[in-house]
Amino acid sequence: MNHDFEQFYASQDQVWSGNPNENLVNALGDVPPGTALDIGCGEGADVKWLHDQGWVVTGIDPSATAIERTRAKCPEATLHVGTFEELELGTYDLIVASYVPLAKDAGKKLKACLNDGGKLVLLHHEFPLHQAPEDYLMPHNAHELLGGEWDIKVTKKQRSVQHGKGKHHKDDLLLTATVREHAK
């Protein structure tokens, strides 16, 4: 993946709205807290929200600037600079990835990082299928890329963001998935 996330974050004081993702909040509102991994945690709004709900949160992001901003927002979180593919990680009750370019072969590692009964929540903008990236794990290709060991649900969600770079995107796809018990 050829992204310069450090330049992206370092080039401005604040990129995103500073608020947790409303679709993530709605999806997890009644899930009892445990351990959580936020892949591509950015400036930490979701990390902070998860922590405030009682989760023990680990956040990762390839940008050191983003991690510094997350640390300022939620010093209680465990934070690492790097990508999901390159970091050695533990296991979690919840894995969250919002608008993150996960490699299309990330499914095996995602499964290995989930505790029994754990949940994967993947959020992406809805793209017309002819524009949807095929090199990444996305809600539209998750059944194919994650495989039959997962119970997967994809729903279309509206969102309302008033500030930050993502404010022009109004339609999201929310994927929630769990590994079937016999597949672990």
Side-chain angles (χ1 to χ4, degrees):
M1 289 178 242
N2 187 17
H3 300 281
D4 190 345
F5 291 108
E6 181 55 29
Q7 181 180 356
F8 177 74
Y9 283 103
S11 68
Q12 47 204 309
D13 290 336
Q14 182 173 341
V15 177
W16 310 115
S17 71
N19 299 317
N21 185 291
E22 67 187 87
N23 288 324
L24 178 69
V25 169
N26 291 334
L28 297 176
D30 61 351
V31 176
T35 56
L37 173 65
D38 185 345
I39 301 172
C41 64
E43 295 168 317
D46 293 342
V47 167
K48 175 71 170 143
W49 181 83
L50 287 164
H51 170 76
D52 290 349
Q53 305 312 303
W55 293 88
V56 176
V57 186
T58 298
I60 62 174
D61 199 280
S63 166
T65 298
I67 290 296
E68 288 172 24
R69 292 176 187 170
T70 300
R71 186 168 285 114
K73 189 174 285 252
C74 188
E76 302 85 359
T78 300
L79 302 169
H80 303 284
V81 176
T83 66
F84 177 70
E85 292 80 10
E86 69 190 14
L87 290 172
E88 292 294 322
L89 301 162
T91 58
Y92 305 88
D93 300 313
L94 171 68
I95 298 175
V96 174
S98 299
Y99 319 108
V100 175
L102 286 172
K104 65 182 179 180
D105 61 354
K108 187 175 183 179
K109 187 170 183 181
L110 287 166
K111 184 172 80 168
C113 288
L114 272 178
N115 289 330
D116 289 340
K119 179 182 282 211
L120 170 66
V121 177
L122 179 66
L123 271 160
H124 268 288
H125 303 302
E126 183 179 42
F127 296 99
L129 282 182
H130 69 282
Q131 293 178 352
E134 291 300 325
D135 293 344
Y136 305 123
L137 174 61
M138 305 282 286
H140 78 275
N141 63 14
H143 286 281
E144 172 190 345
L145 296 181
L146 289 176
E149 300 173 330
W150 294 79
D151 289 320
I152 299 170
K153 180 180 177 185
V154 177
T155 53
K156 184 175 178 175
K157 298 288 184 178
Q158 297 290 307
R159 66 188 207 127
S160 174
V161 177
Q162 304 302 315
H163 310 290
K165 285 226 179 257
K167 69 181 179 184
H168 63 285
H169 288 285
K170 304 297 181 203
D171 296 320
D172 278 351
L173 292 177
L174 170 69
L175 174 144
T176 55
T178 56
V179 178
R180 292 194 178 112
E181 284 187 36
H182 68 277
K184 269 293 206 180

